[in-house]
Amino acid sequence: MIKFVIKRLLTIIPMMLVIIFIVFALVSMSDVNPGRLKLGPEATEEQVYELNESYGLYDPLPVRYGRYVWNMFHGDFGESYYYNEPVMNSIAARWPNTIRLTLLSLGIAMVIGISLGVLSAVKQYSVLDRIASIASMLLSAIPTFCMAAVLVLLFSYKLNLVPASGITMGAKSWILPAVTLGISYSAQFLRFTRSTMLDTTRQDYIRTARAKGVAERTTVWRHAFRNALLPLITISGTTLGTLLGGAVAMEKVFVIPGLGTLVVDALSRNDVPLVLGAISVMAFAFMIIMLVVDLLYAAVDPRIRAKYSSSKRRRLPQKGGHSE
Amino acid sequence: MNNQGSLLEIKNLTVQYVTDGECVHAVNNISLTIPQGKTLGLVGETGAGKTTTALSILKLLPKFTGRVIGGKILFGGEDLLEKSEEQMGKIRGGRISMIFQDPMTSLNPVLTVHNQIAEVLKLHSTHLKRESLDGEIGRLLEMVGIPSSRMFEYPHQFSGGMKQRVVIAIAIACSPELLIADEPTTALDVTIQAQVLKMMRKLRQELGSSMLMITHDLGVVANICDYVAIMYAGEIVEYGTLEDIFDPDCKHHPYTVGLFRSIPNIHVNSRRLQPIDGLMPEPTALPDGCKFHPRCPHCTDACRSGEIQTVSYGTHGIKCILYRSEELVGNTFHRTEDAL
Amino acid sequence: MKGVKRINNPYSEAWHRLKKNKPAMLSLVVVILLILMALLANVIVDYDVAITQNASLQLARPSAAHWFGCDSMGRDLFARIVHGSRISLLLGFGTTLLTTIVAVTLGTSAAYFGGKFDNLLMRAFDILISIPSVLLALAISAGFGNGVPQLICAIAIGQLASFTRVVRSAVLNLVDQDYIEAERALGLGNARIIFTHIIPNALGTILVQATMQVARNILMGALLSFLGLGAPIPTPEWGEIASEGINYLRYTGHIVIFPTIFISITALSINLLGDGLRDALDPRLKGKV
């Protein structure tokens, strides 16, 4: 198992390199002039040129890329073109907020979506099922930022229950952003859980469980849900990716200083180092999450656990129906 | 059929599946009896209604589509169809248990074998103490021919034949009074089939359970059954003891004759097999009168409509107008052990 | 003849099933109306009305003169929404068209020819998928500047990987079938097999997926223009209208509510239509994702 983790971590490195290269190449195509930005409009062309050269701006792309990666491995993400501080500082200041928002929302989305999804599948065609289906259709169609705006209108301005923006009021200020994002994405979990549970409950081993006299509730959770978890875990990973996009919107609406707003602002100003740093960090975090998802997979499914373990120790898998 | 000392009695059972306007007549007014401690073989092709009958006994028909239209299923004198879901829960796995056809998919892939056997023990053998659970599971596994050291392994680590043994171990764990086996060996290789059947015979002897053996294989029937019922298009067209059915000198339903003719006989030098002409009718559009009449070489006008009566004599019954009851007496038939 | 089921070709059968599906048919009507609104925007209301500012009408509430009220710069909101539909729908349909063409080409080739090309492609997509699409779109916009064509490319690339995967697995299922082997044995060329058999059979899956994609792209387009990418000011776009309206929620909600309604109804109708199409083309998939 450890071998598997290490192998995966090693494959992340080349993937990160490729991603950084893609983003690097893209961002480098913009015609930003950091020398001019730093020195101001009064400086001469020569001074600007000199400064830019010291940044290595006129070197060919592969050289710049290589230098960037080299520095990155030493923890140096460069300095922002606008804020006179290392990129790492800006990122470090902001990422706890993004993580808090993302995890809270994911939690809410999963709890609501999965439990309603299971109930809808178990009580197929019931009133609950129909209402849940309609609700999830509606939620999928309303953009998250729109929903946020409507909820802010209602709960902040009309009812005055929670702050409309900012994170200065402690836990209260996280309620609206996390709940909005959570409810918006719960629809995805609901639809998927329902679909997977419907498939799982049609499997033969569920019939076996019932034939053993197992109570319906136990059959649903211990037998069906445990097996439905597998595709669910995969979908959690990919939903997290889209949730991140929604989180960026939430950060903008609620004025939360997070990585999302950092990237958007930096992009509008062509602040190359900041953009690169933030996107690299987010991509890396995403890949670690994918690794965790795979590990969760192994934790839940013994067949996958067997695949990941050392091939020498494992018993040879038996093919069905033939010689024993 | 003999009604004394019978463990299970099905009377006039009719079951349908209803979907989107279409109605599948799966089981049409059948009656059967399984005496205490005996094995009844339910024989028929795919689609004859055998599995539906079995599922009806345990009330495991699909929720939205399966409907029991009429009849009674008496188990130890009580009508199972009248029982609540909770009461059935106590019976399933405990007093009546079932072995399904496909061992590859019948076990939960994420739970250990130990777990799955323990589940049924905990539900029905409540007298068992925690500590003795492992011992009991080990004993059951050894009974079906699996080393007890393997009890903490997962289903995917077993071959098909061994998986089926695990399924059987689960089914017999609580010493059921009635064991329903739905084509338990069909998905297995022939050599494994023989082993599993041998094991089932031994178990039946040790436990004294009655068994409902559903199969399309007459060889399996000869091997393990005491009584036989032949099913076609949702009806029992012939029933009797093993001797009654396998006796070549006795009269039989034309379908039964067709079934026996379709098996290659190693002792006879024949050129061609004689399959039965035609196909089983669509269960959504069954023919009037005798359901077999479109394929029957002896079909007459009287066969095409009306209710066909079952003619019986002693233990043997045939649902056909061809014969009078006196003709059903057969000659003595000696069954040689392990003939097949 | 009464009572006899007429079996026509699978497409007209599907159309019949679709016709019976009331929500889907209603959605179809709504989608057609929206497309008409976009195409006939200039006929419905002049573009000038959408961009003319009027200080005295700032944040005006809906009234008889201005059906949807006015935005923060006094521009008529109704006109902005009508004209905004052009960009929004363009983003939705345009990107989907682009993605579909590329995805079908790549997916079919990968599944049909297999081998190294397939492996390489899937590896490349593995990498692409690990970048969340919003970030990718932002990065592409950063490199190529702000504008509608760039946005279309950005969104299209973001969705490419998953769409190609779907096409690829649908084609893989078909390639497995024996009749393809039979045709090869008969000497039929690859191109012919692909165009006359594989694509028509996969068409159903492709169509459903593309429809769902349109809704997703419209929402993505709204999100990205909300974040500041996309059409330059003063061109109206639904997401951008909402973005601006959020700043004035303290005073009034109408600037946010109207684009929300339009975006939601568009996405909802297209999704319902997609569901209806899927159920009509393969009733066995009913209720599944």
Side-chain angles (χ1 to χ4, degrees), chain C residues 38-261:
Chain C
L39 291 173
L40 300 172
N42 276 316
V43 172
I44 302 176
V45 61
D46 243 2
Y47 183 65
D48 285 333
V49 180
I51 55 173
T52 312
Q53 301 183 16
N54 190 336
S56 61
L57 284 171
Q58 278 179 359
L59 301 181
R61 289 296 180 87
S63 62
H66 297 274
W67 294 347
F68 288 177
C70 297
D71 68 2
S72 65
M73 294 200 239
R75 297 177 288 200
D76 178 48
L77 203 61
F78 176 71
R80 283 185 76 74
I81 293 222
V82 169
H83 281 275
S85 67
R86 311 190 91 182
I87 307 272
S88 304
L89 291 181
L90 177 65
L91 283 174
F93 289 99
T95 50
T96 307
L97 189 63
L98 190 61
T99 317
T100 308
I101 295 175
V102 178
V104 170
T105 314
L106 286 177
T108 316
S109 313
Y112 191 78
F113 295 110
K116 286 216 180 96
F117 174 64
D118 188 20
N119 276 333
L120 204 65
L121 198 67
M122 287 301 111
R123 278 303 178 84
F125 280 161
D126 274 340
I127 297 184
L128 204 59
I129 273 198
S130 51
I131 312 178
S133 35
V134 176
L135 294 184
L136 189 62
L138 289 172
I140 294 179
S141 294
F144 296 101
N146 220 354
V148 176
Q150 291 92 324
L151 198 56
I152 291 183
C153 288
I155 300 176
I157 295 182
Q159 309 283 26
L160 192 62
S162 58
F163 198 160
T164 310
R165 282 243 166 96
V166 171
V167 175
R168 178 177 171 270
S169 60
V171 174
L172 273 178
N173 271 333
L174 289 170
V175 169
D176 250 353
Q177 310 252 0
D178 289 332
Y179 69 87
I180 303 285
E181 282 281 337
E183 293 193 339
R184 284 222 195 95
L186 284 173
L188 286 164
N190 282 329
R192 173 137 179 202
I193 296 181
I194 292 181
F195 283 103
T196 54
H197 287 106
I198 303 228
I199 296 207
N201 276 305
L203 208 55
T205 316
I206 296 176
L207 190 62
V208 173
Q209 186 70 8
T211 311
M212 304 300 212
Q213 197 78 282
V214 173
R216 251 176 270 153
N217 289 342
I218 288 183
L219 289 171
M220 178 64 93
L223 175 63
L224 289 172
S225 55
F226 174 75
L227 291 175
L229 297 144
I233 320 178
T235 317
E237 201 279 334
W238 290 343
E240 178 257 325
I241 296 174
S243 162
E244 199 224 303
I246 291 212
N247 296 326
Y248 301 96
L249 273 178
R250 187 185 307 277
Y251 308 108
T252 176
H254 74 276
I255 308 177
V256 168
I257 294 189
F258 284 111
T260 303
I261 294 178

Side-chain angles (χ1 to χ4, degrees), chain B residues 54-122:
Chain B
L55 290 176
S56 309
I57 298 176
L58 280 176
K59 290 181 88 168
L60 282 179
L61 291 170
K63 238 195 302 188
F64 297 112
T65 51
R67 312 251 176 95
V68 175
I69 305 295
K72 286 199 223 238
I73 301 183
L74 298 174
F75 180 63
E78 299 174 313
D79 187 1
L80 291 178
L81 294 173
E82 303 272 302
K83 288 201 181 272
S84 71
E85 189 56 26
E86 208 191 312
Q87 291 169 314
M88 283 309 293
K90 298 218 181 74
I91 294 180
R92 292 185 199 126
R95 297 179 68 196
I96 308 180
S97 60
M98 187 154 170
I99 301 168
F100 293 96
Q101 187 170 342
D102 190 355
M104 302 304 286
T105 53
S106 294
L107 292 170
N108 190 333
V110 299
L111 298 175
T112 57
V113 159
H114 173 276
N115 226 310
Q116 300 191 50
I117 302 181
E119 190 173 35
V120 74
L121 284 172
K122 282 188 213 164

